[in-house]
Amino acid sequence: MVTEKAFLSRSLSCRRQFLGSAGAATLALTSAPALADTVVKLLLPGGPDERPMTTAFPQKGALILQRTRPPLLETPFEVFDQSVLTPNDRFFVRWHWAVIPTAVNVDTFRLTVHGRVNQTLSLSLNDILALPRVELVAVNQCSGNSRGYFQPRVPGGEWSHGAMGNARWTGVRLKDVLDRAGVKAGAIQVRFNGMDEPVVEDAPDFMKSLDIDHARDGEVMLAYAMNGEQLPLLNGFPLRLVVPGWYSTYWVKMLNDIEVLDQPDTNYWTKTAYRIPDTPRANIRPGETDVKFVPISRMVPRSFITNIKDGDRLQAGASTLARGIAFGGDSGVSRVDFSSDGGKSWQAAALGTDEGKYSFRQWQLRFAAPTRGDQVLMVRCTSSSGAAQPDTPNWNPSGFMRNVIERTAVVVA
Amino acid sequence: MVGTLLPIALVVGIAFAPFCAQAERLSLKSVNFDLPPGDGMFPSGPGADAINNNCLACHSADMVLNQPALSKAQWEAQVNLMRTVYKAPIDPKDAGAIVDYLVSIKGVK
């Protein structure tokens, strides 16, 4: 177990970055031989909830195998207890289509910027590296993170909570790239396409669009590095879009085409897929009809206990450390509250270093579980925009945007 | 966890400074990797040939096997989504067999 002292040392920026990569390397080395036999149980209601661990993917350590092709790889939850930045080799992976270039030449790669612009650009990676460099720590979370906990269950990637990660992204502002091309009057959206392709030719290529004002807000980035290193192939090498505060469906990987549109994007992935009920918390009753659906967009607050697992035994009356991570979604973390009695009473947790409003924020506190028997630990994040996690889960047919207060059942003895 | 964290504590003090300096000189290197084929078949049973022949070109079997139990209507909707939206070239005469196979291994009991 990591000590309280480690919580403080983890808040030193450079040290933490190093800790992340070194920790991952060490884990991969020590745990690789046993992996073929290693199965993780995700405790999904109704099952099946066993998944193999895998080290079969390039530049990746031990991850939970949800799908081999196209890859869906989940970060094992204990990784979130080890550092505020998720190491690159443990960062989750999600692809829509199976034709993924496995070789990328940095000398011949070009990013094309075209459409409603004054001049079409064909930028080399050196051109992009020469633009002003920006850095941002931000959470990248799948729209369907934690889908496996929806009840009634819904089809899709049956993730536990590990379809998310937090990284320091380095790259250039999308605005700077668009300004070089010169956006013409009448531009309304910007569409992003990566090098991945469907197996079947007439299937819809994966593309996403942002409104022009969002694209030019100075925060949306083209990242060429995460956590100080080039992106792993499976996280979008050599370039990926970073859309802070928005779900990762917008964070287009292997980005090589940017098109400025003067009409709303009608491609399937922007117009039809990744839609949520236009209701509070994207919540509807199963079977409910006549619901208006809108594109998913901003993330909502979440928090997790990372050092105590479901089924752990705690000693009654003993001072016990609880710690974990929280994020505000589209804004920072205002507070994190903890309950050791199933939500009857709450106490405020101490927050770790603020790495920026789009980052995970570590939290911790000490508590003493007073009564013996089954008990439920809970943690609740309130964002700096005032949004708090709800007590009841949301439901929608795609399994998107879960952010209920999570429960960790323990036995106090 | 103790075993993995101890060595890190020893290394951090030494390697801390050089790592931060390196972050200033980022150069990108070409990559060339193989991905696992994901070529496992569906468990045998009536309709297994239909699902193996029609579905595995686009995706491996494992995610399907990770799905919860779904109703026949839900499985029909999934197969229909694959055909109409994702353009899976499923032979129409196989679609029913695929749905029946999915209901047999992953149907609501």
Side-chain angles (χ1 to χ4, degrees):
Chain A
M1 279 295 140
V2 182
T3 61
E4 275 175 276
K5 213 169 170 182
F7 178 77
L8 296 172
S9 74
R10 284 184 296 170
S11 63
L12 289 168
S13 156
C14 285
R15 183 173 298 192
R16 190 195 41 254
Q17 278 193 358
F18 184 77
L19 183 70
S21 50
T26 311
L27 272 178
L29 282 174
T30 52
S31 56
L35 280 179
D37 305 322
T38 305
V39 166
V40 61
K41 277 184 81 70
L42 303 178
L43 304 177
L44 308 183
D49 71 344
E50 289 192 349
R51 304 282 188 275
M53 296 292 292
T54 179
T55 52
F57 290 83
Q59 302 170 291
K60 290 290 169 183
L63 291 167
I64 299 166
L65 182 63
Q66 292 278 7
R67 184 176 66 195
T68 309
R69 175 176 51 87
L72 297 185
L73 309 174
E74 173 165 353
T75 302
F77 205 72
E78 62 270 19
V79 171
F80 300 114
D81 192 52
Q82 294 163 6
S83 55
V84 73
L85 297 180
T86 313
N88 292 1
D89 71 343
R90 311 299 297 280
F91 211 95
F92 87 101
V93 168
R94 191 268 187 265
W95 290 85
H96 297 82
W97 294 121
V99 181
I100 301 167
T102 51
V104 178
N105 183 321
V106 295
D107 299 318
T108 58
F109 173 88
R110 293 292 181 275
L111 170 69
T112 304
V113 185
H114 63 115
R116 195 145 182 96
V117 293
N118 291 328
Q119 56 170 341
T120 294
L121 302 180
S122 176
L123 300 173
S124 69
L125 287 169
N126 279 335
D127 293 335
I128 293 163
L129 285 161
L131 291 170
R133 178 190 290 198
V134 291
E135 271 197 355
L136 179 80
V137 180
V139 174
N140 175 238
Q141 181 187 211
C142 181
S143 307
N145 190 25
S146 317
R147 178 182 290 118
Y149 299 105
F150 271 59
Q151 288 183 281
R153 297 283 299 276
V154 294
E158 302 298 336
W159 304 104
S160 177
H161 301 309
M164 64 175 185
N166 188 43
R168 184 181 305 278
W169 307 94
T170 306
V172 299
R173 293 181 196 91
L174 173 60
K175 178 181 191 302
D176 289 346
V177 173
L178 292 173
D179 285 352
R180 262 186 78 157
V183 174
K184 285 184 175 171
I188 62 166
Q189 285 190 329
V190 183
R191 181 161 68 192
F192 306 92
N193 193 1
M195 294 191 281
D196 54 326
E197 290 174 7
V199 176
V200 180
E201 204 173 321
D202 55 347
D205 192 9
F206 183 78
M207 301 187 277
K208 293 295 286 188
S209 294
L210 297 175
D211 287 345
I212 186 74
D213 290 345
H214 187 186
R216 300 176 75 178
D217 71 357
E219 282 194 333
V220 178
M221 290 171 61
L222 312 185
Y224 47 72
M226 59 191 283
N227 298 328
E229 296 172 356
Q230 67 184 39
L231 305 171
L233 178 86
L234 291 175
N235 295 112
F237 183 79
L239 279 182
R240 90 176 292 174
L241 197 68
V242 169
V243 188
W246 284 44
Y247 285 97
S248 57
T249 181
Y250 292 95
W251 300 39
V252 173
K253 298 180 291 297
M254 285 193 177
L255 175 67
N256 71 337
D257 189 281
I258 298 177
E259 183 178 3
V260 178
L261 305 175
D262 59 6
Q263 297 290 325
D265 185 11
T266 56
N267 108 77
Y268 167 76
W269 295 102
T270 297
K271 182 167 182 276
T272 309
Y274 284 102
R275 288 157 72 85
I276 54 168
D278 188 16
T279 58
R281 301 166 46 219
N283 183 42
I284 60 173
R285 291 187 310 278
E288 191 173 340
T289 53
D290 295 328
V291 179
K292 182 189 173 200
F293 280 75
V294 295
I296 196 167
S297 58
R298 297 167 181 278
M299 297 195 292
V300 286
R302 299 195 75 178
S303 59
F304 301 91
I305 300 168
T306 57
N307 71 324
I308 303 172
K309 297 189 305 293
D310 242 25
D312 279 0
R313 296 178 76 83
L314 307 182
Q315 197 185 339
S319 172
T320 304
L321 174 71
R323 67 160 178 257
I325 51 170
F327 59 104
D330 64 349
S331 62
V333 172
S334 166
R335 58 182 297 144
V336 171
D337 295 287
F338 176 86
S339 172
S340 59
D341 56 11
K344 289 199 274 292
S345 65
W346 295 85
Q347 61 182 115
L351 299 181
T353 306
D354 185 355
E355 297 287 354
K357 66 179 183 174
Y358 298 116
S359 171
F360 284 160
R361 187 91 182 253
Q362 291 175 316
W363 62 266
Q364 72 170 26
L365 53 65
R366 288 200 157 270
F367 70 101
T371 48
R372 291 173 199 277
D374 293 340
Q375 200 49 273
V376 174
L377 311 182
M378 299 164 85
V379 61
R380 176 181 67 202
C381 174
T382 304
S383 76
S384 51
S385 62
Q389 291 180 256
D391 320 316
T392 53
N394 67 326
W395 191 92
N396 54 65
S398 298
F400 288 154
M401 284 180 75
R402 178 178 169 98
N403 83 321
V404 65
I405 297 167
E406 302 293 346
R407 305 163 65 88
T408 304
V410 295
V411 180
V412 181
Chain B
M1 196 181 288
V2 172
T4 59
L5 284 169
L6 263 179
I8 299 165
L10 297 174
V11 173
V12 161
I14 308 159
F16 167 63
F19 178 80
C20 292
Q22 276 172 10
E24 293 305 308
R25 301 190 300 270
L26 190 88
S27 67
L28 304 180
K29 293 188 174 57
S30 297
V31 297
N32 189 350
F33 295 109
D34 288 325
L35 295 176
D39 50 7
M41 296 281 179
F42 283 91
S44 58
D49 286 349
I51 197 165
N52 283 326
N53 294 339
N54 285 282
C55 303
L56 296 180
C58 289
H59 60 79
S60 51
D62 41 9
M63 176 167 152
V64 180
L65 300 173
N66 287 338
Q67 294 302 298
L70 300 172
S71 68
K72 182 167 186 179
Q74 285 176 299
W75 280 123
E76 280 171 342
Q78 287 298 307
V79 173
N80 199 38
L81 179 75
M82 297 297 153
R83 290 179 59 197
T84 59
V85 177
Y86 300 128
K87 308 295 181 187
I90 297 174
D91 192 324
K93 72 176 174 11
D94 283 343
I98 293 169
V99 170
D100 289 344
Y101 175 83
L102 290 165
V103 170
S104 75
I105 64 161
K106 291 277 167 189
V108 176
K109 295 290 183 284

